[in-house]
Structure formats: C-alpha cells, structure tokens
Amino acid sequence: MSDMRTPLKKVRGLGSAHEGTDHFWRQRLTAVANVPLTLFFVGLLVALNGAGFAEVRATLSNPFVALVLILMLLSALYHMRLGMQVIIEDYVHNEGTKVVLIMLNTFFTIAVGVASIFALLKLAFGG
C-alpha cells in the first residue's frame, strides 16, 4: 500500500531538539566569563606568592575576593562540565555508557565544586 503522506509530514517531529545552540552559547558565555576571572585568580596567586598562611587567610576573608573566587570556581567547573559532555556525546557511541558517563561527569563536577567552595569558605571564615 502506498503512503499518502507528504515528505514534510513524514519528517515532522524528527528534526533538531533545539538544544544545540543553547549548549553552544552557554559554553561560549562561560569561556568569556572565565577570562577576567582567571586573570584575577592568577593575579591573586602572584600577589600571594611567598605569603604566610595568616596573610592568605586575611586576603580570602575579604568578601570581594571570596565572591570572585567562588564565581571563578562555578564558571570554570560549569565550563568543564559542558566541554566534557560534548566530548562524551561525540566519542561514546553506546547509549547506556554515554548516559552513565554524563551522569558521572555531573556528579564529579558537583563534588569538586562543593569541596572547593567548602575549603574556600572555611579559609575565609577562619574555621
């Protein structure tokens, strides 16, 4: 029996998931945000080179410094998660393995973020 549907009707709903550009722009946005944040971080490292623990703790207790470092951590970790997700989606062809690796990628990013922010806040608040 011949199919009476038009070519457009046959492919409707099979197109783009409309998520590619969103992912692309998030990755670009975090990349742009990482530039000044990383420059601040490197400058802070250079300024604190050779400083004692008390001076580092005093610097990190400054709310501006602590907040900028938290922003840097969040932006860099999110950028890393997006980049690793692209690599997993492009190079892992087994769907089950792909889903597990994307989940592990997310859990790893959250674990590193929580541990890093905890350590930073502990130093900043003098725990």
Side-chain angles (χ1 to χ4, degrees):
M1 188 122 221
S2 73
D3 193 359
M4 300 297 287
R5 295 183 298 169
T6 65
L8 180 61
K9 183 68 176 172
K10 290 178 188 177
V11 298
R12 193 173 303 274
L14 300 177
S16 170
H18 300 290
E19 292 182 7
T21 57
D22 184 46
H23 191 273
F24 173 86
W25 281 109
R26 286 183 193 181
Q27 198 167 22
R28 296 319 177 266
L29 179 67
T30 56
V32 169
N34 284 342
V35 171
L37 293 171
T38 303
L39 289 174
F40 176 84
F41 178 67
V42 170
L44 184 66
L45 288 179
V46 169
L48 292 175
N49 185 26
F53 180 74
E55 187 178 348
V56 172
R57 178 182 255 170
T59 302
L60 293 180
S61 66
N62 181 332
F64 176 76
V65 173
L67 288 175
V68 172
L69 289 178
I70 289 172
L71 285 175
M72 188 246 167
L73 278 167
L74 293 175
S75 180
L77 287 168
Y78 188 59
H79 184 75
M80 176 194 74
R81 181 185 157 280
L82 291 172
M84 286 303 301
Q85 181 178 338
V86 169
I87 292 170
I88 292 167
E89 289 171 346
D90 286 349
Y91 295 106
V92 177
H93 301 295
N94 182 331
E95 285 302 315
T97 305
K98 187 183 297 187
V99 169
V100 169
L101 288 175
I102 289 174
M103 287 172 42
L104 288 172
N105 180 39
T106 301
F107 294 149
F108 176 76
T109 304
I110 291 170
V112 169
V114 168
S116 300
I117 291 172
F118 175 76
L120 177 63
L121 291 175
K122 188 170 180 180
L123 280 171
F125 292 126

